[in-house]
Amino acid sequence: MTDGPLIVQSDKSLLLEVDHDQAEACRRAIAPFAELERAPEHVHTYRLTPLGLWNARAAGHDAEQVVNVLLDYSRYPVPHALLVDIAETMSRYGRLQLIQHPVHGLVLQALDRAVLAEVLKSRRTAGLVGERIDAESVVVHPSERGHLKQVLLKLGWPAEDLAGYVDGEAHPIDLVTDGSDGNAPWTLRPYQQQAVDGFWHGGSGVVVLPCGAGKTLVGAGAMATSKTTTLILVTNTVSARQWRDELLRRTTLTDDEIGEYSGARKEVRPVTIATYQVLTTKRKGVYTHLELLDARDWGLVIYDEVHLLPAPIFRMTADLQARRRLGLTATLVREDGREDEVFSLIGPKRYDAPWKDIENQGYIAPAACIEVRLTLPDRERMLYATAEPEDKYRLAASAPGKNRVVEQLVAKHAGEPTLVIGQYIDQLEELAEHLGAEIITGATTVTERQRLYQAFRTGELTTLVVSKVANFSIDLPEASVAIQVSGSFGSRQEEAQRLGRILRPKEDGRTAHFYAVVARDTVDQEFAAHRQRFLAEQGYAYTIVDAEDLVTE
Amino acid sequence: MAPRRLTFTGPGYRAAGRADTTLADLLAPPVDDLVLQGDLTGIVPGRPTPALAHLLDCLAQVESRGAALTVRFTAETVRRALDDGRGADEVLADLANHSRTHVPQALDYLIRDAARTHGRLRVGAATSYIRAEDPMLLAGVAQNPVFARLGVVRLAPTVLACQADPSTVLEALRVQLAPTVLACQADPSTVLEALRVHGLSPSAEGPDGQVVLGRPTVRRVRGDRRRPGVEPDAVVEVVREVAGIRTARLTALIPRLRGADRAAQADRSLQSRAAAAAAAAEPDDGGADGGTQDPAVALGTLREAVAGRHEVWIEIVGPAGTPTRRRVRPVTVEGGRVRAIDVERESELTIAVHRIASVTLIDTEDHATA
């Protein structure tokens, strides 16, 4: 028994006491192989998963090292079975390797003949591999590189991809950091630089950074390192425009070199930004825009918001295995549980930094999360109690009493840029009218949207009511208060995005406020509990106040 | 606690005292405090002390065990503690005592909120109720000492519940008694369960309107059944004594059993009917002492009874080997089974023939006079 900060549970979770002297060293030691599951104020929970252990193997750590770390920092004896399990899981990675053979081209090579025999016998690898060269190697069809990796992961024998990448078409790209373009001089933040390096040395993979931590710059950094033609896949048109603006401002790229491939425009240029939506558009059962992927000899493919990648993009990515792939995301959690596809097709996690760390370094704003509980008047409670189950959430979420609460909150933060976020359009319209604020919904045109965003940026507008279209990738630099009145059933992802809206650092270092207005004793409150848990797990202090107490504060 | 005995005798018994302390030396000392966190979890960094384990047991659900214990507090688990009769302040004070840090606001709010909604619905059992349009009239009933024995409780100005049987059912299945009272035909536990499933937090109410705590039945390993102070040697002595008595009884019984068999064989060679008649003469110690009747004779008697619609005394050996006597009227005898009607109990029974020990015809005249 030692005095370490770590407690290893038999269910493969690791409890790290953060106030311990060795906590920081321990965190650094376990970060490569354990996934941070939740990070509340005192004890963080990490989890050992096969994917995490394989991630560590891909990054060059071995089982001995992992076991050593656990033994070193653990306060109590570590269950022996767990150590054996770790060693066995990790030894499964890399027994199969994908290599570039001078004669046969792409080859699956085994360090363990039995494993090769086992996977070749499986029906799932049939058609993906070609001729057997000898007992240890078999030819792989280059087009099936991604599929094979996917299948091997599913079979529990993840292959190490050593086959390398095509160089792609060279194209000069540099970061402009000295202010020669008229902007203030800047540099990549240390963690952004580490993320770029981590990715580049690993070849392909995913960088996990919180919203507001400057993922776009990591992308730009990767492009400047690669200096090749780049395909950037983003979630929607607004996001595409923001990438474009950011690249123009931060790199040597000019307007002519950046193309937009979306529903509205179809330009293919050395750097092309395409939306998921246009790529997954089907006409007569075929994806009509897939030729974009072969339109140029791309040297780098960047996936923005990897946790949202639609299934067809995964299939396309499977065919892109010879190109470097960079995934950017705030969370590896996918509500559909396809984390393993991200691992096998885009690559292992190459860099990860917890929100709180970056906040402590002052790169993202500190935030206070407050849930305001509103007691419904008797008439509405009766209405709610007798409503059909499917209408209950809507009824509770769009309770008229919320208007007054929002009004009070807006008044309390008068002058600060405030976003009111909601799910139901009619509720939002009513709110906008009540507050006398502008509203952005799915029906708002792109130009109108950008006009409003611009007005919000300059401080002309201080309050903006937005629907869920603004959930992703809108870049409002100075929003410091977010008030959410309704959400999509307590989704964690949505909460992360909404919180991200206000986390960009404030010039005066002020605390951001994140309010959720919730109707008491309804399903609304239950969903809020779900979101509350997510925020608390991310380490944000969470307080609950009664709407009646707001006025007196 | 006194050291546990492993066995009565043997080396383990003598070493037990030492093993106890040895084990305690090997295990990490129990931890009496926990870390409470804003995401409504708590972590005991080690093996909790019994007091802490008990507190968490009734207040939270365990998320993971191992070297440490992590628990999660939910509205459901807090409700359980409240059902157990604890109050919000008591629970919070207990937590604060054990917690290394202050109780997070979110947890504090959760517990207070659960306490606020807890028991707003009350469920109780009333055998009947009295309703009147005029509250004054009911007040008279409730106050009248004459009705005290009814166990009358005033539910609302216009409703009384009684613990006495209702003479007639006046209302339909589910009646709204008053704006604040509902009567149900289901029993309280069903009602409580149904309400809980719907996310409500009711508590049970006794006949006097007070809250009844619904503690779950605690099952524990049955303790040491020996009386305190009795030494193992003495117990062994008693066991031996008891065993001796049993052996003596059994040895005495064997010749009697054998004798009964012989007597039955001898009887068979004599006139069977005579034996049956003799048995009928003294029905109280019918077939048991005289052994079983010859099946052929018994069936003959039964067929006779069926034909004559007579009643018989029938002795049946149950699955446990114990004979019972019943007075029945046989209806049919076929396929190895006898169908008969028990007139007194107004029931019909089917008896396998091999279960029948004896049959004795009852004289109808006798029956009529009896």
Side-chain angles (χ1 to χ4, degrees):
Chain A
M1 201 167 29
T2 65
D3 193 30
L6 195 68
I7 297 175
V8 182
Q9 297 283 77
S10 25
D11 62 355
K12 291 189 185 169
S13 57
L14 311 176
L15 307 174
L16 173 67
E17 206 174 307
V18 286
D19 300 326
H20 197 278
D21 301 336
Q22 297 172 39
E24 187 43 37
C26 177
R27 195 195 74 71
R28 268 201 297 272
I30 62 172
F33 58 87
E35 297 288 341
L36 179 60
E37 202 171 61
R38 43 180 202 252
E41 57 271 52
H42 305 298
V43 177
H44 291 187
T45 306
Y46 288 79
R47 188 166 292 281
L48 295 172
T49 60
L51 277 184
L53 293 170
W54 291 333
N55 264 328
R57 270 303 300 269
H61 302 269
D62 60 11
E64 204 174 314
Q65 213 174 333
V66 171
V67 167
N68 235 337
V69 165
L70 292 183
L71 293 180
D72 276 356
Y73 288 103
S74 175
R75 182 172 311 167
Y76 300 109
V78 182
H80 184 252
L82 190 116
L83 296 179
V84 171
D85 192 46
I86 288 174
E88 277 183 0
T89 305
M90 288 186 80
S91 73
R92 294 176 83 94
Y93 178 86
R95 288 214 211 168
L96 297 174
Q97 294 175 331
L98 278 168
I99 54 165
Q100 206 68 44
H101 194 276
V103 180
H104 301 286
L106 190 63
V107 161
L108 181 68
Q109 190 168 26
L111 304 181
D112 184 338
R113 291 181 188 188
V115 173
L116 186 66
E118 182 192 327
V119 300
L120 290 183
K121 207 157 175 288
S122 163
R123 259 192 299 148
R124 297 161 89 171
T125 55
L128 302 180
V129 292
E131 211 179 310
R132 187 83 175 253
I133 302 167
D134 51 38
E136 279 118 35
S137 44
V138 62
V139 170
V140 177
H141 306 306
S143 60
E144 303 297 343
R145 185 165 157 187
H147 292 292
L148 183 65
K149 286 204 287 190
Q150 235 173 324
V151 167
L152 290 178
L153 182 81
K154 290 246 166 28
L155 292 175
W157 296 104
E160 194 173 2
D161 191 345
L162 302 172
Y165 305 97
V166 295
D167 292 335
E169 197 180 330
H171 189 85
I173 302 173
D174 270 307
L175 295 178
V176 181
T177 54
D178 54 3
S180 57
D181 56 348
N183 290 323
W186 64 284
T187 52
L188 280 184
R189 296 169 187 162
Y191 66 85
Q192 288 168 337
Q193 190 60 52
Q194 284 164 16
V196 172
D197 295 345
F199 156 72
W200 192 253
H201 295 309
S204 278
V206 179
V207 168
V208 184
L209 284 177
C211 299
K215 285 192 288 288
T216 318
L217 289 183
V218 174
M223 288 162 69
T225 317
S226 159
K227 297 191 199 303
T228 54
T229 51
T230 305
L231 177 64
I232 303 170
L233 303 176
V234 298
T235 48
N236 56 37
T237 318
V238 176
S239 172
R241 304 266 156 88
Q242 270 148 13
W243 265 89
R244 178 197 187 93
D245 292 349
E246 194 75 359
L247 289 177
L248 286 175
R249 194 160 71 226
R250 307 290 195 184
T251 66
T252 53
L253 290 170
T254 59
D255 210 11
D256 296 337
E257 291 168 286
I258 305 178
E260 179 185 318
Y261 198 94
S262 63
R265 271 185 261 173
K266 307 268 187 300
E267 306 157 341
V268 179
R269 301 208 179 133
V271 171
T272 301
I273 305 172
T275 58
Y276 292 158
Q277 206 192 346
V278 71
L279 283 182
T280 51
T281 309
K282 259 184 169 179
R283 198 156 294 157
K284 289 179 188 152
V286 285
Y287 296 105
T288 47
H289 296 289
L290 279 187
E291 77 271 18
L292 171 68
L293 300 172
D294 299 319
R296 285 190 99 109
D297 186 13
W298 307 111
L300 177 66
V301 184
I302 297 178
Y303 301 84
D304 194 20
E305 316 281 11
V306 161
H307 59 280
L308 294 176
L309 270 191
I313 303 267
F314 276 123
R315 283 200 288 279
M316 297 163 196
T317 306
D319 302 333
L320 282 175
Q321 293 299 308
R323 309 187 189 278
R324 276 183 188 270
R325 304 167 303 279
L326 169 63
L328 299 171
T329 182
T331 162
L332 271 180
V333 177
R334 286 183 64 98
E335 309 272 340
D336 61 0
R338 300 176 75 143
E339 289 89 351
D340 57 336
E341 302 216 354
V342 175
F343 177 86
S344 61
L345 292 181
I346 296 183
K349 179 179 75 179
R350 296 296 181 190
Y351 187 79
D352 186 3
W355 295 32
K356 266 293 173 186
D357 280 12
I358 293 181
E359 182 189 306
N360 290 342
Q361 290 167 30
Y363 292 119
I364 54 181
C369 303
I370 300 146
E371 182 178 318
V372 183
R373 292 225 178 138
L374 169 74
T375 308
L376 297 182
D378 286 347
R379 202 186 62 81
E380 279 166 36
R381 278 181 58 196
M382 188 51 93
L383 210 63
Y384 173 80
T386 52
E388 295 295 318
E390 60 268 30
D391 296 334
K392 285 201 166 182
Y393 179 66
R394 193 193 173 91
L395 256 179
S398 47
K402 288 187 175 182
N403 288 358
R404 197 176 39 82
V405 178
V406 173
E407 188 187 3
Q408 281 169 358
L409 291 173
V410 169
K412 191 171 152 191
H413 294 281
E416 291 180 52
T418 304
L419 286 178
V420 180
I421 311 173
Q423 170 94 351
Y424 298 111
I425 305 295
D426 42 359
Q427 176 190 19
L428 293 175
E429 277 168 353
E430 206 178 300
L431 252 173
E433 203 175 306
H434 191 80
L435 298 169
E438 294 282 354
I439 177 168
I440 295 175
T441 65
T444 317
T445 59
V446 173
T447 34
E448 172 71 358
R449 249 186 251 184
Q450 287 194 330
R451 184 187 69 78
L452 290 174
Y453 286 165
Q454 192 55 39
F456 191 73
R457 254 179 226 127
T458 54
E460 210 176 301
L461 291 174
T462 57
T463 309
L464 210 52
V465 180
V466 292
S467 77
K468 64 175 183 181
V469 295
N471 268 3
F472 306 109
S473 284
I474 58 163
D475 197 40
L476 304 169
E478 280 284 308
S480 66
V481 180
I483 304 169
Q484 60 173 349
V485 289
S486 49
S488 47
F489 310 102
S491 146
R492 290 171 291 175
Q493 225 177 62
E494 185 176 89
E495 198 73 353
Q497 296 291 346
R498 288 181 174 179
L499 182 63
R501 296 282 77 83
I502 56 167
L503 285 182
R504 301 179 203 264
K506 314 291 171 283
E507 272 161 12
D508 51 2
R510 133 187 83 156
T511 302
H513 286 87
F514 189 54
Y515 291 98
V517 185
V518 166
R520 187 191 295 280
D521 295 341
T522 64
V523 280
D524 195 15
Q525 183 180 324
E526 281 169 38
F527 292 139
H530 213 75
R531 299 193 297 250
Q532 167 195 348
R533 182 167 160 185
F534 169 77
L535 291 174
E537 283 174 0
Q538 293 293 339
Y540 287 95
Y542 197 91
T543 43
I544 307 174
V545 297
D546 295 327
E548 297 78 33
D549 299 342
L550 267 185
V551 197
T552 54
E553 260 179 45
Chain B
M1 200 169 72
R4 276 236 149 144
R5 291 197 184 92
L6 304 175
T7 52
F8 289 151
T9 53
Y13 175 50
R14 281 184 293 279
R18 256 192 353 249
D20 212 31
T21 46
T22 317
L23 202 58
D25 289 344
L26 279 175
L27 288 175
V31 179
D32 194 39
D33 49 0
L34 83 164
V35 183
L36 291 173
Q37 310 205 86
D39 63 344
L40 303 180
T41 58
I43 290 160
V44 184
R47 185 165 54 93
T49 55
L52 183 55
H54 178 69
L55 176 72
L56 294 179
D57 215 35
C58 60
L59 197 58
Q61 84 201 35
V62 172
E63 283 219 315
S64 100
R65 288 181 201 277
L69 179 74
T70 66
V71 294
R72 176 170 293 283
F73 300 90
T74 65
E76 179 62 23
T77 62
V78 173
R79 186 187 62 73
R80 217 171 54 206
L82 295 170
D83 279 348
D84 208 25
R86 289 164 185 261
D89 289 317
E90 182 194 343
V91 164
L92 283 170
D94 277 353
L95 280 177
N97 277 341
H98 286 287
S99 174
R100 288 186 185 181
T101 52
H102 68 278
V103 178
Q105 198 261 355
L107 179 57
D108 185 283
Y109 199 98
L110 173 79
I111 292 173
R112 291 196 188 284
D113 205 51
R116 181 180 60 79
T117 56
H118 186 257
R120 280 199 301 190
L121 287 174
R122 299 286 184 86
V123 177
T127 316
S128 57
Y129 58 81
I130 305 171
R131 215 151 63 104
E133 292 299 315
D134 180 8
M136 295 307 130
L137 186 64
L138 277 186
V141 173
Q143 298 299 323
N144 195 335
V146 174
F147 296 115
R149 67 186 173 82
L150 290 180
V152 174
V153 176
R154 189 162 194 169
L155 297 179
T158 57
V159 189
L160 294 176
C162 323
Q163 291 302 310
D165 273 339
S167 48
T168 44
V169 177
L170 293 169
E171 296 286 342
L173 259 180
R174 195 159 177 270
V175 193
Q176 178 144 13
L177 296 178
T180 58
V181 188
L182 292 170
C184 316
Q185 291 298 306
D187 65 297
S189 58
T190 317
V191 175
L192 281 171
E193 204 43 55
L195 289 171
R196 274 178 195 149
V197 166
H198 282 274
L200 295 164
S201 177
S203 51
E205 213 174 54
D208 52 355
Q210 297 295 310
V211 173
V212 176
L213 298 181
R215 286 212 175 92
T217 334
V218 179
R219 290 177 212 287
R220 40 179 106 236
V221 176
R222 216 175 285 166
D224 204 336
R225 257 192 281 174
R226 280 177 288 125
R227 263 172 295 156
V230 180
E231 285 305 304
D233 288 352
V235 173
V236 171
E237 202 55 44
V238 169
V239 168
R240 275 202 198 119
E241 204 175 294
V242 171
I245 292 168
R246 283 187 54 177
T247 322
R249 256 205 227 145
L250 288 173
T251 27
L253 197 58
I254 290 167
R256 280 177 63 198
L257 285 169
R258 287 188 180 141
D261 274 358
R262 274 197 295 274
Q265 267 166 3
D267 274 0
R268 207 172 302 157
S269 63
L270 293 173
Q271 206 190 39
S272 316
R273 287 293 300 271
E282 23 179 58
D284 279 341
D285 48 58
D289 278 356
T292 47
Q293 219 172 10
D294 184 356
V297 177
L299 285 178
T301 317
L302 279 170
R303 290 212 177 85
E304 212 172 282
V306 169
R309 300 172 62 82
H310 292 309
E311 290 189 4
V312 293
W313 279 108
I314 191 163
E315 188 169 18
I316 312 156
V317 182
T322 47
T324 46
R325 276 164 65 89
R326 293 181 73 169
R327 184 181 180 141
V328 296
R329 185 164 61 76
V331 182
T332 52
V333 180
E334 57 186 17
R337 282 167 197 281
V338 177
R339 214 151 61 76
I341 291 168
D342 187 327
V343 183
E344 274 171 47
R345 300 187 203 175
E346 291 178 345
S347 63
E348 196 182 297
L349 67 163
T350 307
I351 311 152
V353 169
H354 68 269
R355 291 270 181 206
I356 299 173
S358 70
V359 180
T360 314
L361 209 59
I362 296 169
D363 233 343
T364 19
E365 284 81 8
D366 273 7
H367 176 50
T369 50

